[in-house]
Amino acid sequence: MTNERTNELTNERLEEVSSHSLDITEQNIEKLKELFPEVLTEKKIDFDKLRLILGDEVETAPERYSFTWNGKKQAMQLAQQPTVATLKPNKAKSKNWDETKNLYIEGDNLEVLKILQKSYANKVKLIYLDPPYNTGKDFVYRDNFHDSLENYLEQTGQVDSDGNKLIVNTETSGRYHTDWLNMMYPRLKLARNLLMDDGVIFISIDDNEQPNLMKLCDEIFGENNKIGPIIQNKQNAKNDTLNVQRNHEFIVIYRKGGSSTDGKERASLQNNTVKYRDVFEENGEYYYLNDPITTRGAGGTLKARPNLGYSVYYNPVTKEKIAVSDYDKDKAKISDEESEVYTDDLKLISEGYTPIRPPKVRGQLGAFTWELSKFNAESKNIVITGNPGSYSVRKRTFVSASDVEKEASKLVYGQKSKTNSRSIIDFSTNEGSNTLTDLLGTSGLFDNPKNVDMLEYLFSLIINEQDALFVDFFSGSASTAHAIMNLNAKDNKKRKYVLVQLPEQVDESSDAYRNGYSTIPEIAEERIRRAGDKIITENPELTGKLDIGFKVFELEKSNLKKWNTEPEDLVTMLGTIQDNLEPGSTEDDLVYEIMLKQGLGLTLPIEKFVVGDANIYKIAFGSLFIVLGENITSDAAKKIVEFIKDEELENVVVVLQDTGFGNDSEKLNSIEILNAVGIDYNDILSI
């Protein structure tokens, strides 16, 4: 290496991996810069210019329709404020760590949503939420507009020893709707970013905040993206109000966008049902019956359709059937008397055939739906049912023997159909509690868990969800995970989930505490374990095929130290930054945090290779390499180059532990080696 190049690299500092999450404000400014570069000067927006460009689309009237409340501005800012938190793996709490694609995250969902922005933006097919209902008592996460992470750590007992819940008492705060809206706004704003363009969000809610939630979603998702609410008939008889029983809840539904293709509206939901039909066998062939080929509506008369008034002559002994045009078309237009219109074919009758004619429609002669030529050409697809005097001419559909199932003493065929969803669905709330009780062996562990059958129904409405990602960041007892595993077991699909739950302490006087559970995640994680095991026990053929595992991550401070620009003790500060890592940070902690910072999902494959004293982590099939350890030498860089050449890797990013190199020479040599295979200086980062 030349002295000139050595000096250049020595003086030039590698870009460090940031300890902050994605800066959404900066991202929005960049988007504006791309669309309207003329309105930005030094990151300041000239709104006068923006109004000129947008013309009539900008509202300037002093009075306009708007939905606002006290604290809305701060809630909007909170959604855009980056976090310095990260997610640390906890393999001891997890199940099937190396195989699973599912995530269970313990932490405040606002912080977690910020962390997930870069890795999971536009990747989520469905979000289901069952947020705290506003009962006027304790319900709300107490967010801090200045530092929500510090607030979370304090309230969950990681800093403060009291272990308080993140709760606001709306009775004492005097801000009944306001507190709830301030809690929901930033979370929904961040959630929208995670949805795919055709993604959908379901939110369960009761009467208290349903109108406000709809207005909130109109603003965040757009009123044109409202799919509707579905009303859940809870099927309970609880007399919990003075005047009218509340036997229902709402499920508010919005899509992110993509509502039309080529000017035509595109469905976001689809009810895929299976209707089982009785199957019959004839000469080794199997078929099911459809409706008669006659009409019952006012337009199905022979007067309206004079060309469709033939007779079907049927021999009940030989089962033969022949369509014959034995009627007077002119008389059919004026008469409703069969004897005046039709003339029996006496020859066929003498041979044992019986004439079958369309039944009357409201006193008028009826008609068939098939033309005579079609009937005779496809008579095999017709079967005559019933008895003499009440025969019915019906179409039959033949099916493959492999699609026929035996149910008790009869044969059946499952016919799939696609429709829209009903706006009212019947699912008992009691069944949610019963399911959890049966699974965990005791009652009273969790208040009002969701009905798993209802969630299965809602999730099955999603179109093209073969291996879709589902998110629930108010996950409670993990009914969502239970429903997804059930669905995957039934239809052999590969849905994945990300659940987020605040590690809230259970009350020491509760049944949950008496049964050994100290936090809500402990209940949820045990539920997922048992639900998965139960499915495999009942369906042993799914062993090794169905993903019943989950990786647990916990919200913590970043493993990377923040630079303090105004430390009280500058000498101490300068000493600590010689090692940029927080005390106690493990290599696993660092690897997963760097993956998040680089926008990679937490379930992507990780391979570990040891070269001397260095550990090389090859992530996502070689899109990212992380080198950690002590006394790192250029041999690590050479190993990475081997991978790049052997596997023809492109767009590779390498992260080096700055303090792990024994000397600057080894570090500079490593950079030169990586540069030589096309890894740009900007793609070599340090921690």
Side-chain angles (χ1 to χ4, degrees), residues 488-516:
N488 287 343
K490 291 175 182 177
D491 59 20
N492 198 34
K493 292 185 178 179
K494 305 290 184 182
R495 302 172 187 85
K496 305 176 290 291
Y497 62 77
V498 177
L499 302 191
V500 184
Q501 176 58 43
L502 186 74
E504 181 180 329
Q505 300 286 322
V506 301
D507 193 294
E508 292 187 9
S509 63
S510 67
D511 291 330
Y513 189 84
R514 285 191 291 271
N515 281 274

PDB file of all heavy atoms in Angstrom, residues 488-516:
ATOM      1  N   ASN A 488     -52.759 -22.011   8.751  1.00  0.00           N
ATOM      2  CA  ASN A 488     -51.680 -22.661   8.008  1.00  0.00           C
ATOM      3  C   ASN A 488     -51.819 -24.181   8.032  1.00  0.00           C
ATOM      4  O   ASN A 488     -51.507 -24.868   7.052  1.00  0.00           O
ATOM      5  CB  ASN A 488     -50.316 -22.247   8.575  1.00  0.00           C
ATOM      6  CG  ASN A 488     -49.945 -20.822   8.215  1.00  0.00           C
ATOM      7  OD1 ASN A 488     -50.515 -20.232   7.302  1.00  0.00           O
ATOM      8  ND2 ASN A 488     -48.997 -20.252   8.933  1.00  0.00           N
ATOM      9  N   ALA A 489     -52.282 -24.706   9.169  1.00  0.00           N
ATOM     10  CA  ALA A 489     -52.476 -26.152   9.276  1.00  0.00           C
ATOM     11  C   ALA A 489     -53.598 -26.627   8.367  1.00  0.00           C
ATOM     12  O   ALA A 489     -53.548 -27.745   7.826  1.00  0.00           O
ATOM     13  CB  ALA A 489     -52.775 -26.535  10.725  1.00  0.00           C
ATOM     14  N   LYS A 490     -54.593 -25.775   8.151  1.00  0.00           N
ATOM     15  CA  LYS A 490     -55.755 -26.169   7.347  1.00  0.00           C
ATOM     16  C   LYS A 490     -55.501 -26.070   5.850  1.00  0.00           C
ATOM     17  O   LYS A 490     -55.964 -26.922   5.083  1.00  0.00           O
ATOM     18  CB  LYS A 490     -56.961 -25.298   7.722  1.00  0.00           C
ATOM     19  CG  LYS A 490     -57.498 -25.571   9.116  1.00  0.00           C
ATOM     20  CD  LYS A 490     -58.608 -24.594   9.484  1.00  0.00           C
ATOM     21  CE  LYS A 490     -59.121 -24.840  10.894  1.00  0.00           C
ATOM     22  NZ  LYS A 490     -60.155 -23.847  11.294  1.00  0.00           N
ATOM     23  N   ASP A 491     -54.793 -25.025   5.429  1.00  0.00           N
ATOM     24  CA  ASP A 491     -54.651 -24.827   3.982  1.00  0.00           C
ATOM     25  C   ASP A 491     -53.207 -24.930   3.480  1.00  0.00           C
ATOM     26  O   ASP A 491     -52.928 -24.629   2.322  1.00  0.00           O
ATOM     27  CB  ASP A 491     -55.255 -23.491   3.551  1.00  0.00           C
ATOM     28  CG  ASP A 491     -54.614 -22.282   4.233  1.00  0.00           C
ATOM     29  OD1 ASP A 491     -53.481 -22.415   4.748  1.00  0.00           O
ATOM     30  OD2 ASP A 491     -55.238 -21.211   4.250  1.00  0.00           O
ATOM     31  N   ASN A 492     -52.291 -25.322   4.361  1.00  0.00           N
ATOM     32  CA  ASN A 492     -50.896 -25.565   3.964  1.00  0.00           C
ATOM     33  C   ASN A 492     -50.213 -24.317   3.415  1.00  0.00           C
ATOM     34  O   ASN A 492     -49.331 -24.405   2.575  1.00  0.00           O
ATOM     35  CB  ASN A 492     -50.824 -26.700   2.927  1.00  0.00           C
ATOM     36  CG  ASN A 492     -49.432 -27.281   2.805  1.00  0.00           C
ATOM     37  OD1 ASN A 492     -48.696 -27.353   3.784  1.00  0.00           O
ATOM     38  ND2 ASN A 492     -49.057 -27.683   1.621  1.00  0.00           N
ATOM     39  N   LYS A 493     -50.592 -23.147   3.922  1.00  0.00           N
ATOM     40  CA  LYS A 493     -49.932 -21.911   3.512  1.00  0.00           C
ATOM     41  C   LYS A 493     -48.850 -21.549   4.522  1.00  0.00           C
ATOM     42  O   LYS A 493     -48.663 -22.224   5.529  1.00  0.00           O
ATOM     43  CB  LYS A 493     -50.953 -20.790   3.336  1.00  0.00           C
ATOM     44  CG  LYS A 493     -51.889 -21.045   2.148  1.00  0.00           C
ATOM     45  CD  LYS A 493     -52.818 -19.884   1.885  1.00  0.00           C
ATOM     46  CE  LYS A 493     -53.693 -20.172   0.666  1.00  0.00           C
ATOM     47  NZ  LYS A 493     -54.638 -19.066   0.377  1.00  0.00           N
ATOM     48  N   LYS A 494     -48.121 -20.472   4.247  1.00  0.00           N
ATOM     49  CA  LYS A 494     -46.938 -20.123   5.040  1.00  0.00           C
ATOM     50  C   LYS A 494     -47.042 -18.717   5.630  1.00  0.00           C
ATOM     51  O   LYS A 494     -46.087 -17.952   5.608  1.00  0.00           O
ATOM     52  CB  LYS A 494     -45.676 -20.221   4.166  1.00  0.00           C
ATOM     53  CG  LYS A 494     -45.472 -21.567   3.489  1.00  0.00           C
ATOM     54  CD  LYS A 494     -45.103 -22.650   4.485  1.00  0.00           C
ATOM     55  CE  LYS A 494     -44.799 -23.962   3.766  1.00  0.00           C
ATOM     56  NZ  LYS A 494     -44.490 -25.053   4.717  1.00  0.00           N
ATOM     57  N   ARG A 495     -48.204 -18.379   6.145  1.00  0.00           N
ATOM     58  CA  ARG A 495     -48.344 -17.063   6.765  1.00  0.00           C
ATOM     59  C   ARG A 495     -47.363 -16.929   7.928  1.00  0.00           C
ATOM     60  O   ARG A 495     -47.115 -17.889   8.655  1.00  0.00           O
ATOM     61  CB  ARG A 495     -49.767 -16.880   7.278  1.00  0.00           C
ATOM     62  CG  ARG A 495     -50.855 -17.010   6.221  1.00  0.00           C
ATOM     63  CD  ARG A 495     -52.219 -17.001   6.865  1.00  0.00           C
ATOM     64  NE  ARG A 495     -53.295 -17.289   5.939  1.00  0.00           N
ATOM     65  CZ  ARG A 495     -53.694 -18.513   5.598  1.00  0.00           C
ATOM     66  NH1 ARG A 495     -53.090 -19.576   6.116  1.00  0.00           N
ATOM     67  NH2 ARG A 495     -54.685 -18.695   4.756  1.00  0.00           N
ATOM     68  N   LYS A 496     -46.846 -15.711   8.123  1.00  0.00           N
ATOM     69  CA  LYS A 496     -45.907 -15.428   9.211  1.00  0.00           C
ATOM     70  C   LYS A 496     -46.473 -14.282  10.048  1.00  0.00           C
ATOM     71  O   LYS A 496     -47.306 -13.518   9.562  1.00  0.00           O
ATOM     72  CB  LYS A 496     -44.540 -15.039   8.649  1.00  0.00           C
ATOM     73  CG  LYS A 496     -43.947 -16.062   7.685  1.00  0.00           C
ATOM     74  CD  LYS A 496     -42.639 -15.565   7.090  1.00  0.00           C
ATOM     75  CE  LYS A 496     -42.832 -14.426   6.110  1.00  0.00           C
ATOM     76  NZ  LYS A 496     -43.502 -14.826   4.867  1.00  0.00           N
ATOM     77  N   TYR A 497     -45.989 -14.154  11.272  1.00  0.00           N
ATOM     78  CA  TYR A 497     -46.503 -13.078  12.106  1.00  0.00           C
ATOM     79  C   TYR A 497     -45.389 -12.356  12.857  1.00  0.00           C
ATOM     80  O   TYR A 497     -44.325 -12.908  13.123  1.00  0.00           O
ATOM     81  CB  TYR A 497     -47.557 -13.584  13.096  1.00  0.00           C
ATOM     82  CG  TYR A 497     -47.065 -14.607  14.105  1.00  0.00           C
ATOM     83  CD1 TYR A 497     -46.310 -14.235  15.220  1.00  0.00           C
ATOM     84  CD2 TYR A 497     -47.377 -15.954  13.960  1.00  0.00           C
ATOM     85  CE1 TYR A 497     -45.872 -15.168  16.151  1.00  0.00           C
ATOM     86  CE2 TYR A 497     -46.947 -16.902  14.880  1.00  0.00           C
ATOM     87  CZ  TYR A 497     -46.201 -16.503  15.971  1.00  0.00           C
ATOM     88  OH  TYR A 497     -45.763 -17.426  16.891  1.00  0.00           O
ATOM     89  N   VAL A 498     -45.685 -11.092  13.184  1.00  0.00           N
ATOM     90  CA  VAL A 498     -44.894 -10.296  14.120  1.00  0.00           C
ATOM     91  C   VAL A 498     -45.871  -9.798  15.182  1.00  0.00           C
ATOM     92  O   VAL A 498     -46.786  -9.023  14.871  1.00  0.00           O
ATOM     93  CB  VAL A 498     -44.212  -9.095  13.444  1.00  0.00           C
ATOM     94  CG1 VAL A 498     -43.472  -8.258  14.487  1.00  0.00           C
ATOM     95  CG2 VAL A 498     -43.251  -9.556  12.354  1.00  0.00           C
ATOM     96  N   LEU A 499     -45.705 -10.262  16.406  1.00  0.00           N
ATOM     97  CA  LEU A 499     -46.547  -9.812  17.510  1.00  0.00           C
ATOM     98  C   LEU A 499     -45.737  -8.904  18.423  1.00  0.00           C
ATOM     99  O   LEU A 499     -44.558  -9.157  18.669  1.00  0.00           O
ATOM    100  CB  LEU A 499     -47.076 -10.992  18.329  1.00  0.00           C
ATOM    101  CG  LEU A 499     -47.901 -12.064  17.615  1.00  0.00           C
ATOM    102  CD1 LEU A 499     -48.542 -12.988  18.642  1.00  0.00           C
ATOM    103  CD2 LEU A 499     -48.964 -11.459  16.721  1.00  0.00           C
ATOM    104  N   VAL A 500     -46.379  -7.867  18.930  1.00  0.00           N
ATOM    105  CA  VAL A 500     -45.732  -6.935  19.855  1.00  0.00           C
ATOM    106  C   VAL A 500     -46.632  -6.785  21.081  1.00  0.00           C
ATOM    107  O   VAL A 500     -47.844  -6.587  20.939  1.00  0.00           O
ATOM    108  CB  VAL A 500     -45.498  -5.553  19.213  1.00  0.00           C
ATOM    109  CG1 VAL A 500     -44.731  -4.648  20.170  1.00  0.00           C
ATOM    110  CG2 VAL A 500     -44.757  -5.688  17.880  1.00  0.00           C
ATOM    111  N   GLN A 501     -46.036  -6.880  22.258  1.00  0.00           N
ATOM    112  CA  GLN A 501     -46.811  -6.737  23.481  1.00  0.00           C
ATOM    113  C   GLN A 501     -45.973  -6.076  24.559  1.00  0.00           C
ATOM    114  O   GLN A 501     -44.827  -6.450  24.792  1.00  0.00           O
ATOM    115  CB  GLN A 501     -47.304  -8.103  23.982  1.00  0.00           C
ATOM    116  CG  GLN A 501     -48.031  -8.080  25.301  1.00  0.00           C
ATOM    117  CD  GLN A 501     -49.260  -7.172  25.303  1.00  0.00           C
ATOM    118  OE1 GLN A 501     -50.027  -7.173  24.338  1.00  0.00           O
ATOM    119  NE2 GLN A 501     -49.433  -6.387  26.355  1.00  0.00           N
ATOM    120  N   LEU A 502     -46.550  -5.101  25.222  1.00  0.00           N
ATOM    121  CA  LEU A 502     -45.913  -4.460  26.361  1.00  0.00           C
ATOM    122  C   LEU A 502     -45.710  -5.496  27.470  1.00  0.00           C
ATOM    123  O   LEU A 502     -46.641  -6.232  27.801  1.00  0.00           O
ATOM    124  CB  LEU A 502     -46.813  -3.332  26.864  1.00  0.00           C
ATOM    125  CG  LEU A 502     -46.266  -2.445  27.973  1.00  0.00           C
ATOM    126  CD1 LEU A 502     -45.215  -1.506  27.415  1.00  0.00           C
ATOM    127  CD2 LEU A 502     -47.402  -1.650  28.612  1.00  0.00           C
ATOM    128  N   PRO A 503     -44.513  -5.589  28.052  1.00  0.00           N
ATOM    129  CA  PRO A 503     -44.284  -6.568  29.125  1.00  0.00           C
ATOM    130  C   PRO A 503     -44.906  -6.118  30.436  1.00  0.00           C
ATOM    131  O   PRO A 503     -44.226  -5.892  31.442  1.00  0.00           O
ATOM    132  CB  PRO A 503     -42.758  -6.643  29.211  1.00  0.00           C
ATOM    133  CG  PRO A 503     -42.291  -5.314  28.735  1.00  0.00           C
ATOM    134  CD  PRO A 503     -43.271  -4.882  27.675  1.00  0.00           C
ATOM    135  N   GLU A 504     -46.216  -5.986  30.406  1.00  0.00           N
ATOM    136  CA  GLU A 504     -46.959  -5.462  31.545  1.00  0.00           C
ATOM    137  C   GLU A 504     -47.045  -6.501  32.659  1.00  0.00           C
ATOM    138  O   GLU A 504     -47.341  -7.673  32.424  1.00  0.00           O
ATOM    139  CB  GLU A 504     -48.359  -5.071  31.070  1.00  0.00           C
ATOM    140  CG  GLU A 504     -49.250  -4.481  32.129  1.00  0.00           C
ATOM    141  CD  GLU A 504     -50.622  -4.135  31.555  1.00  0.00           C
ATOM    142  OE1 GLU A 504     -50.698  -3.804  30.357  1.00  0.00           O
ATOM    143  OE2 GLU A 504     -51.598  -4.211  32.313  1.00  0.00           O
ATOM    144  N   GLN A 505     -46.797  -6.065  33.863  1.00  0.00           N
ATOM    145  CA  GLN A 505     -46.898  -6.948  35.026  1.00  0.00           C
ATOM    146  C   GLN A 505     -48.362  -7.275  35.294  1.00  0.00           C
ATOM    147  O   GLN A 505     -49.225  -6.409  35.185  1.00  0.00           O
ATOM    148  CB  GLN A 505     -46.297  -6.263  36.254  1.00  0.00           C
ATOM    149  CG  GLN A 505     -44.830  -5.895  36.132  1.00  0.00           C
ATOM    150  CD  GLN A 505     -43.920  -7.100  36.239  1.00  0.00           C
ATOM    151  OE1 GLN A 505     -44.186  -7.995  37.019  1.00  0.00           O
ATOM    152  NE2 GLN A 505     -42.853  -7.112  35.467  1.00  0.00           N
ATOM    153  N   VAL A 506     -48.647  -8.542  35.615  1.00  0.00           N
ATOM    154  CA  VAL A 506     -50.009  -8.898  35.992  1.00  0.00           C
ATOM    155  C   VAL A 506     -50.214  -8.573  37.467  1.00  0.00           C
ATOM    156  O   VAL A 506     -49.259  -8.530  38.259  1.00  0.00           O
ATOM    157  CB  VAL A 506     -50.297 -10.398  35.735  1.00  0.00           C
ATOM    158  CG1 VAL A 506     -50.103 -10.736  34.272  1.00  0.00           C
ATOM    159  CG2 VAL A 506     -49.417 -11.282  36.603  1.00  0.00           C
ATOM    160  N   ASP A 507     -51.433  -8.338  37.830  1.00  0.00           N
ATOM    161  CA  ASP A 507     -51.755  -8.005  39.221  1.00  0.00           C
ATOM    162  C   ASP A 507     -51.472  -9.207  40.124  1.00  0.00           C
ATOM    163  O   ASP A 507     -51.804 -10.345  39.793  1.00  0.00           O
ATOM    164  CB  ASP A 507     -53.234  -7.612  39.307  1.00  0.00           C
ATOM    165  CG  ASP A 507     -53.567  -6.945  40.632  1.00  0.00           C
ATOM    166  OD1 ASP A 507     -53.482  -7.623  41.668  1.00  0.00           O
ATOM    167  OD2 ASP A 507     -53.910  -5.749  40.617  1.00  0.00           O
ATOM    168  N   GLU A 508     -50.866  -8.945  41.261  1.00  0.00           N
ATOM    169  CA  GLU A 508     -50.499 -10.035  42.165  1.00  0.00           C
ATOM    170  C   GLU A 508     -51.705 -10.732  42.780  1.00  0.00           C
ATOM    171  O   GLU A 508     -51.576 -11.821  43.341  1.00  0.00           O
ATOM    172  CB  GLU A 508     -49.574  -9.509  43.269  1.00  0.00           C
ATOM    173  CG  GLU A 508     -48.207  -9.087  42.745  1.00  0.00           C
ATOM    174  CD  GLU A 508     -47.246  -8.734  43.867  1.00  0.00           C
ATOM    175  OE1 GLU A 508     -47.592  -8.974  45.043  1.00  0.00           O
ATOM    176  OE2 GLU A 508     -46.146  -8.222  43.561  1.00  0.00           O
ATOM    177  N   SER A 509     -52.867 -10.127  42.661  1.00  0.00           N
ATOM    178  CA  SER A 509     -54.080 -10.766  43.182  1.00  0.00           C
ATOM    179  C   SER A 509     -54.835 -11.530  42.098  1.00  0.00           C
ATOM    180  O   SER A 509     -55.902 -12.083  42.358  1.00  0.00           O
ATOM    181  CB  SER A 509     -55.010  -9.705  43.792  1.00  0.00           C
ATOM    182  OG  SER A 509     -55.450  -8.788  42.794  1.00  0.00           O
ATOM    183  N   SER A 510     -54.272 -11.580  40.891  1.00  0.00           N
ATOM    184  CA  SER A 510     -54.970 -12.180  39.759  1.00  0.00           C
ATOM    185  C   SER A 510     -54.760 -13.686  39.690  1.00  0.00           C
ATOM    186  O   SER A 510     -53.824 -14.242  40.273  1.00  0.00           O
ATOM    187  CB  SER A 510     -54.487 -11.545  38.449  1.00  0.00           C
ATOM    188  OG  SER A 510     -53.127 -11.888  38.216  1.00  0.00           O
ATOM    189  N   ASP A 511     -55.649 -14.360  38.944  1.00  0.00           N
ATOM    190  CA  ASP A 511     -55.505 -15.797  38.699  1.00  0.00           C
ATOM    191  C   ASP A 511     -54.213 -16.086  37.948  1.00  0.00           C
ATOM    192  O   ASP A 511     -53.572 -17.119  38.172  1.00  0.00           O
ATOM    193  CB  ASP A 511     -56.700 -16.317  37.895  1.00  0.00           C
ATOM    194  CG  ASP A 511     -57.988 -16.313  38.699  1.00  0.00           C
ATOM    195  OD1 ASP A 511     -57.901 -16.461  39.930  1.00  0.00           O
ATOM    196  OD2 ASP A 511     -59.074 -16.162  38.098  1.00  0.00           O
ATOM    197  N   ALA A 512     -53.848 -15.184  37.040  1.00  0.00           N
ATOM    198  CA  ALA A 512     -52.619 -15.385  36.268  1.00  0.00           C
ATOM    199  C   ALA A 512     -51.411 -15.452  37.186  1.00  0.00           C
ATOM    200  O   ALA A 512     -50.548 -16.332  37.052  1.00  0.00           O
ATOM    201  CB  ALA A 512     -52.453 -14.268  35.241  1.00  0.00           C
ATOM    202  N   TYR A 513     -51.330 -14.521  38.133  1.00  0.00           N
ATOM    203  CA  TYR A 513     -50.196 -14.499  39.063  1.00  0.00           C
ATOM    204  C   TYR A 513     -50.181 -15.756  39.925  1.00  0.00           C
ATOM    205  O   TYR A 513     -49.123 -16.354  40.175  1.00  0.00           O
ATOM    206  CB  TYR A 513     -50.268 -13.245  39.930  1.00  0.00           C
ATOM    207  CG  TYR A 513     -49.032 -13.016  40.777  1.00  0.00           C
ATOM    208  CD1 TYR A 513     -47.922 -12.375  40.248  1.00  0.00           C
ATOM    209  CD2 TYR A 513     -48.983 -13.456  42.099  1.00  0.00           C
ATOM    210  CE1 TYR A 513     -46.783 -12.169  41.018  1.00  0.00           C
ATOM    211  CE2 TYR A 513     -47.859 -13.259  42.877  1.00  0.00           C
ATOM    212  CZ  TYR A 513     -46.758 -12.613  42.328  1.00  0.00           C
ATOM    213  OH  TYR A 513     -45.627 -12.423  43.096  1.00  0.00           O
ATOM    214  N   ARG A 514     -51.357 -16.171  40.399  1.00  0.00           N
ATOM    215  CA  ARG A 514     -51.435 -17.371  41.232  1.00  0.00           C
ATOM    216  C   ARG A 514     -51.034 -18.629  40.469  1.00  0.00           C
ATOM    217  O   ARG A 514     -50.633 -19.629  41.067  1.00  0.00           O
ATOM    218  CB  ARG A 514     -52.858 -17.519  41.784  1.00  0.00           C
ATOM    219  CG  ARG A 514     -53.171 -16.549  42.918  1.00  0.00           C
ATOM    220  CD  ARG A 514     -54.471 -16.908  43.598  1.00  0.00           C
ATOM    221  NE  ARG A 514     -55.621 -16.667  42.741  1.00  0.00           N
ATOM    222  CZ  ARG A 514     -56.264 -15.496  42.695  1.00  0.00           C
ATOM    223  NH1 ARG A 514     -55.858 -14.480  43.451  1.00  0.00           N
ATOM    224  NH2 ARG A 514     -57.312 -15.349  41.915  1.00  0.00           N
ATOM    225  N   ASN A 515     -51.136 -18.580  39.125  1.00  0.00           N
ATOM    226  CA  ASN A 515     -50.749 -19.726  38.313  1.00  0.00           C
ATOM    227  C   ASN A 515     -49.326 -19.609  37.766  1.00  0.00           C
ATOM    228  O   ASN A 515     -48.950 -20.361  36.869  1.00  0.00           O
ATOM    229  CB  ASN A 515     -51.735 -19.902  37.157  1.00  0.00           C
ATOM    230  CG  ASN A 515     -53.021 -20.578  37.591  1.00  0.00           C
ATOM    231  OD1 ASN A 515     -53.103 -21.802  37.631  1.00  0.00           O
ATOM    232  ND2 ASN A 515     -54.024 -19.783  37.946  1.00  0.00           N
ATOM    233  N   GLY A 516     -48.559 -18.679  38.307  1.00  0.00           N
ATOM    234  CA  GLY A 516     -47.139 -18.623  37.978  1.00  0.00           C
ATOM    235  C   GLY A 516     -46.748 -17.672  36.876  1.00  0.00           C
ATOM    236  O   GLY A 516     -45.588 -17.648  36.465  1.00  0.00           O
TER     237      GLY A 516
END
